[in-house]
């Protein structure tokens, strides 16, 4: 039986994503940070899995993504790799891993592919990253771009602010997107920009755009796994749709466990292991003999 690009089981590659855009089929993308979540997301048929540096906030409890290290990203990417068979696996390069020099950036990017099994790396920034993207692509490292509200630019942007609101900013975003495409990026994440701007960029680019807080006209959509599931502690951003309240499910399960242990309802006899009948009988007869000797 042949397996085609549209087949649910077929491996997703950067070519599949391009094909999706050409055929006006939406691309689905979610973050994952560990083996279990990666398996669930992959087995649900999501096209692209991103080991986002958002893991610093949702998994590790950092205030923002800036402290995330290469070691942390590699560790989580390896775990996700073990859970993913079909999706296109992308790893985020953390802040300062590609900002210091091209040489260091290339070496770090290669580690995601060679040591952690990622199929592409994602870096934040547009026109100013184009040369680096071209070098990575030349080194056979597929690259996903990321423009608009780029969380690693938190301090430079003066906070998490929607980007691309003025004519000049819209023009810059268009330059950024085109520069990434020309440099060889395989797709570009558009984050936190007006719907109209995302639609214009999407229409202009040949490579797919993946939106997050960028409206419905992008070629695909990405959400953070924990946002989708209601597993975060702060009020969600406007663009987040919570598909489940897993936080409450977990809290209720933990409270029920606590109550059952305190009341001795857990574990029950059925949830316990038992001695084989013969061993139990032997133990009982030893105890009986001991009691007889004492009397
Ligand atoms: O780190 C991340 O999860 C991301 C997505 C929000 C695109 O970069």
């Amino acid at each position: 039986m042949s397996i085609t690009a549209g087949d649910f089981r077929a491996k997703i590659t950067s070519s599949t994503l391009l094909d999706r855009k050409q055929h006006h089929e939406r691309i689905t993308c979610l973050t994952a940070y560990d083996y279990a979540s990666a398996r669930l997301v992959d087995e649900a048929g999501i096209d692209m899995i991103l080991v986002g540096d958002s893991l610093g906030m949702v998994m590790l409890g950092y205030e923002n993504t800036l402290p995330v290290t290469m070691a942390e990203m590699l560790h989580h990417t390896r775990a996700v790799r073990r859970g993913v068979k079909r999706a296109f696996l992308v790893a985020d390069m953390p802040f300062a891993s590609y900002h210091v020099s091209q040489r260091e950036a290339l070496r770090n990017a290669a580690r995601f592919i060679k040591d952690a099994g990622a199929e592409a790396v994602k870096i934040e920034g547009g026109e100013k990253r184009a040369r680096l993207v071209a070098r990575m692509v030349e080194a056979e490292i597929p690259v996903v771009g990321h423009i608009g509200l780029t969380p690693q630019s938190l301090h430079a942007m003066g906070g998490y602010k929607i980007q691309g609101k003025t004519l000049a900013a819209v023009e810059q975003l268009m330059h950024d997107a085109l520069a990434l495409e020309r440099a060889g990026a395989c797709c570009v994440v558009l984050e936190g920009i007006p719907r109209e701007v995302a639609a214009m960029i999407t229409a202009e680019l040949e490579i797919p755009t993946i939106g997050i807080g960028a409206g419905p006209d992008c070629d695909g959509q990405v959400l953070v796994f924990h946002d989708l599931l209601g597993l975060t502690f702060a009020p969600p951003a406007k663009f987040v749709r919570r598909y489940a309240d897993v936080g409450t499910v977990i809290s209720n399960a933990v409270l029920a466990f606590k109550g059952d242990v305190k009341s001795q309802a857990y574990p029950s006899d059925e949830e316990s292991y038992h001695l084989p009948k013969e061993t139990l009988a032997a133990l009982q007869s030893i105890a009986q003999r001991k009691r007889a000797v004492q009397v």
Side-chain angles (χ1 to χ4, degrees), residues 114-152:
K114 197 177 166 79
D115 303 347
E119 291 158 276
V121 296
K122 177 167 81 58
I123 65 174
E124 297 185 4
E127 215 170 7
K128 63 184 167 196
R129 302 275 176 252
R131 281 220 324 258
L132 177 59
V133 172
R135 262 308 275 126
M136 287 181 174
V137 172
E138 200 179 283
E140 318 301 346
I141 300 169
V143 182
V144 173
H146 184 166
I147 58 173
L149 194 171
T150 45
Q152 292 175 9

Side-chain angles (χ1 to χ4, degrees), residues 51-108:
V51 187
D53 63 351
S54 49
L55 71 82
M57 297 168 80
V58 298
M59 296 288 288
L60 306 177
Y62 297 148
E63 207 173 306
N64 53 56
T65 58
L66 301 180
V68 176
T69 63
M70 276 296 295
E72 286 163 344
M73 288 305 303
L74 289 167
H75 171 80
H76 285 273
T77 304
R78 286 188 198 105
V80 169
R81 173 74 280 168
R82 292 190 281 271
V84 175
K85 286 199 172 81
R86 174 186 171 270
F88 184 56
L89 178 56
V90 181
D92 238 347
M93 293 194 66
F95 177 64
S97 70
Y98 58 96
H99 302 73
V100 179
S101 74
Q102 202 173 83
R103 203 180 158 82
E104 194 175 273
L106 278 168
R107 192 170 294 126
N108 283 331

Side-chain angles (χ1 to χ4, degrees), residues 31 33 50 52-54 92 122 124 146 189 191 212 222 224:
T31 65
Y33 312 106
L50 170 68
D53 63 351
S54 49
D92 238 347
K122 177 167 81 58
E124 297 185 4
H146 184 166
V189 170
E191 177 166 358
I212 174 160
V222 54
V224 166

Side-chain angles (χ1 to χ4, degrees), residues 4-294:
T4 66
D7 195 301
F8 185 76
R9 297 155 303 160
K11 175 77 186 98
I12 306 290
T13 65
S14 55
S15 318
T16 323
L17 303 181
L18 202 56
D19 200 56
R20 288 269 154 83
K21 173 157 185 147
Q22 284 159 359
H23 290 91
H24 308 287
E25 267 182 64
R26 288 292 194 251
I27 296 163
T28 54
C29 178
L30 280 176
T31 65
Y33 312 106
D34 60 17
Y35 172 76
S37 61
R39 266 198 77 157
L40 291 170
V41 171
D42 192 51
E43 287 171 12
I46 293 294
D47 297 316
M48 183 166 157
I49 294 182
L50 170 68
V51 187
D53 63 351
S54 49
L55 71 82
M57 297 168 80
V58 298
M59 296 288 288
L60 306 177
Y62 297 148
E63 207 173 306
N64 53 56
T65 58
L66 301 180
V68 176
T69 63
M70 276 296 295
E72 286 163 344
M73 288 305 303
L74 289 167
H75 171 80
H76 285 273
T77 304
R78 286 188 198 105
V80 169
R81 173 74 280 168
R82 292 190 281 271
V84 175
K85 286 199 172 81
R86 174 186 171 270
F88 184 56
L89 178 56
V90 181
D92 238 347
M93 293 194 66
F95 177 64
S97 70
Y98 58 96
H99 302 73
V100 179
S101 74
Q102 202 173 83
R103 203 180 158 82
E104 194 175 273
L106 278 168
R107 192 170 294 126
N108 283 331
R111 291 190 70 195
F112 281 106
I113 310 292
K114 197 177 166 79
D115 303 347
E119 291 158 276
V121 296
K122 177 167 81 58
I123 65 174
E124 297 185 4
E127 215 170 7
K128 63 184 167 196
R129 302 275 176 252
R131 281 220 324 258
L132 177 59
V133 172
R135 262 308 275 126
M136 287 181 174
V137 172
E138 200 179 283
E140 318 301 346
I141 300 169
V143 182
V144 173
H146 184 166
I147 58 173
L149 194 171
T150 45
Q152 292 175 9
S153 320
L154 169 65
H155 299 313
M157 288 183 310
Y160 297 117
K161 294 179 181 154
I162 297 303
Q163 303 293 300
K165 286 192 177 173
T166 64
L167 263 185
V170 173
E171 220 170 282
Q172 183 58 51
L173 278 172
M174 187 59 89
H175 282 310
D176 287 336
L178 287 168
L180 290 171
E181 174 166 279
R182 269 186 237 113
C186 63
C187 57
V188 57
V189 170
L190 304 179
E191 177 166 358
I193 63 173
R195 170 183 181 168
E196 298 78 9
V197 181
M200 279 166 52
I201 295 173
T202 302
E204 200 64 33
L205 292 190
E206 280 173 28
I207 57 171
T209 60
I210 312 291
I212 174 160
D217 308 304
C218 300
D219 298 305
Q221 296 291 329
V222 54
L223 274 181
V224 166
F225 184 78
H226 290 58
D227 284 341
L228 171 109
L229 294 177
L231 256 177
T232 49
F233 299 94
K238 177 180 180 173
F239 62 83
V240 170
R241 188 178 293 177
R242 282 197 160 158
Y243 286 86
D245 186 3
V246 172
T248 303
V249 171
I250 293 176
S251 293
N252 288 341
V254 172
L255 284 170
F257 167 75
K258 182 176 126 185
D260 283 355
V261 172
K262 298 261 187 211
S263 69
Q264 299 179 32
Y266 176 81
S268 66
D269 188 54
E270 290 74 34
E271 288 159 328
S272 307
Y273 299 104
H274 292 279
L275 276 172
K277 278 198 189 93
E278 319 75 66
T279 317
L280 184 61
L283 269 179
Q284 282 167 343
S285 92
I286 291 169
Q288 238 172 18
R289 265 185 271 131
K290 270 192 188 154
R291 272 199 301 274
V293 170
Q294 279 160 6

